[in-house]
């Protein structure tokens, strides 16, 4: 399968300090959400409950949209590793791929019972099927991208069904803005939601700020963070090449977004729009 990771380099007093983050940040995010008090967002210092980092364990059911994909199965495996006793439901449209994904996850977690990893056939874009799949789950993890030109209906379903936690790997600004409009509803339902928990850039940016802050606070020398640098790397796509190509081309077709002093700026010159659109 794909081996995706991140190396964060903090430039501290003219010294580069490397910090390594493993791929399934999404799994860690889900557990953090379960371990934190219901609110819009999360705390990296959330108190641990059963099952290790932040939550999970018996009576906990994780539903993963896009569960038959490479990210979905990786998240499932890490949730089972970090939250023993939890149940995982992989949701997808293809039953053949679904059964294969279940076998893959069980193979990577030999101590997990067969009843703890199951597949449910459903199309998340069908509202009735989505709500039926989400009903009764503890945490909904949405990895079924790409998210461009999609609506955050899974978040709405999670809030309406009273899920304790919701995590996704979204990145388009329109999707995020629509999601954030549900903040009040999420608080009222007791749903802790974390958006953009993927690696590019998502959680890595949050962890960079947290790491820099902790280093500053805990350094005997009073270290000054001069610069933060990211190096993303991928070693093998694990059969997801077509999907990666599709998502990459969608992303390059959008203007580059940058927030400066709280103001959004869009750069058309730094997008693929100037090259035109292609069909592949």
């Amino acid at each position: 399968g794909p081996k995706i990771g991140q190396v964060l380099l903090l430039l501290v007093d003219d010294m580069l300090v490397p910090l390594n983050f493993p791929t399934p940040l999404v799994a860690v995010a889900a557990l953090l959400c379960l371990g934190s008090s219901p609110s819009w967002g999360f705390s990296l210092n959330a108190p641990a409950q059963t099952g290790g980092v932040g939550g999970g364990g018996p009576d906990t059911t994780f539903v993963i949209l896009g569960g038959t994909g490479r990210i979905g199965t990786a998240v499932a495996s890490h949730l089972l590793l970090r939250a023993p006793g939890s149940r995982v439901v992989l949701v997808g449209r293809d039953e053949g791929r679904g059964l294969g994904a279940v076998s893959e996850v069980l193979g990577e977690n030999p101590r997990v019972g067969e009843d703890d990893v199951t597949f449910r056939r459903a199309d998340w874009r069908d509202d009735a099927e989505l709500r039926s799949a989400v009903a009764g789950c503890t945490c909904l993890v949405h990895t079924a991208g790409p998210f461009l030109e999609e609506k955050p209906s899974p978040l709405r379903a999670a809030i309406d069904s009273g899920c304790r936690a919701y995590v996704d790997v979204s990145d388009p600004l329109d999707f995020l803005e629509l999601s954030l409009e549900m903040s009040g509803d999420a608080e009222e339902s007791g749903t802790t939601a974390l958006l953009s928990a993927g690696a590019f850039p998502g959680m890595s940016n949050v962890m960079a700020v947290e790491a820099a802050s902790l280093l500053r606070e805990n350094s005997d020398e009073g270290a000054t963070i001069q610069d933060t640098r990211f190096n993303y790397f991928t070693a093998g796509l694990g059969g997801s090449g077509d999907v990666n190509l599709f998502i990459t081309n969608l992303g390059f077709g959008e203007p580059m977004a940058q927030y400066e002093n709280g103001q959004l700026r869009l750069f058309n010159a730094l997008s693929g729009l100037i090259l035109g659109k292609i069909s592949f």
Side-chain angles (χ1 to χ4, degrees):
K3 299 184 184 301
I4 306 171
Q6 302 163 81
V7 176
L8 166 66
L9 297 177
L10 292 179
L11 182 58
V12 183
D13 294 337
D14 298 322
M15 286 182 55
L16 283 176
V17 180
L19 299 171
N20 295 318
F21 298 139
T23 257
L25 295 172
V26 189
V28 177
L31 293 169
L32 284 168
C33 284
L34 288 177
S36 61
S37 59
S39 63
W40 192 260
F42 76 109
S43 167
L44 286 174
N45 299 316
Q49 297 177 356
T50 59
V53 182
D59 301 323
T60 299
T61 300
F62 295 96
V63 171
I64 304 176
L65 303 182
T68 64
R70 301 308 300 166
I71 295 177
T73 54
V75 170
S77 289
H78 278 254
L79 284 172
L80 293 168
L81 176 66
R82 292 174 176 267
S86 300
R87 293 183 64 253
V88 170
V89 180
L90 307 177
V91 177
R93 291 173 295 177
D94 188 304
E95 188 163 356
R97 288 189 62 187
L99 296 177
V102 169
S103 297
E104 177 185 334
V105 173
L106 287 173
E108 293 178 354
N109 299 272
R111 296 183 180 180
V112 173
E114 291 185 2
D115 293 338
D116 292 331
V117 183
T118 57
F119 169 73
R120 182 184 180 108
R121 187 182 179 282
D123 184 348
W124 70 266
R125 292 178 178 85
D126 182 296
D127 192 62
E129 292 186 15
L130 169 64
R131 290 177 178 272
S132 178
V134 171
C137 79
T138 313
C139 175
L140 177 63
V141 182
H142 183 12
T143 69
F147 292 81
L148 191 65
E149 299 181 355
E150 296 289 356
K151 304 295 183 184
S153 52
L155 173 57
R156 170 51 63 192
I159 293 172
D160 291 347
S161 66
C163 286
R164 285 177 54 198
Y166 167 90
V167 178
D168 69 32
V169 292
S170 62
D171 50 10
L173 290 178
D174 291 344
F175 188 96
L176 296 174
E177 289 171 357
L178 289 173
S179 297
L180 290 171
E181 290 177 2
M182 303 180 204
S183 177
D185 293 341
E187 249 186 292
E188 186 175 338
S189 72
T191 301
T192 299
L194 179 61
L195 314 175
S196 297
F200 306 101
M203 276 280 283
S204 56
N205 287 355
V206 177
M207 295 179 79
V209 175
E210 179 75 1
S213 175
L214 291 174
L215 186 61
R216 217 171 14 240
E217 293 172 6
N218 299 315
S219 172
D220 294 333
E221 307 297 327
T224 300
I225 310 301
Q226 298 167 292
D227 193 13
T228 305
R229 304 177 187 179
F230 289 96
N231 176 31
Y232 299 101
F233 61 91
T234 305
L237 295 176
S240 62
D242 291 345
V243 173
N244 274 274
L245 179 63
F246 181 50
I247 293 175
T248 299
N249 276 276
L250 287 176
F252 283 150
E254 293 293 300
M256 192 200 82
Q258 179 190 47
Y259 280 92
E260 183 174 358
N261 297 322
Q263 298 298 314
L264 174 63
R265 302 170 62 197
L266 298 176
F267 296 89
N268 286 309
L270 298 177
S271 76
L273 292 175
I274 56 176
L275 301 177
K277 292 188 176 182
I278 62 171
S279 177
F280 61 92

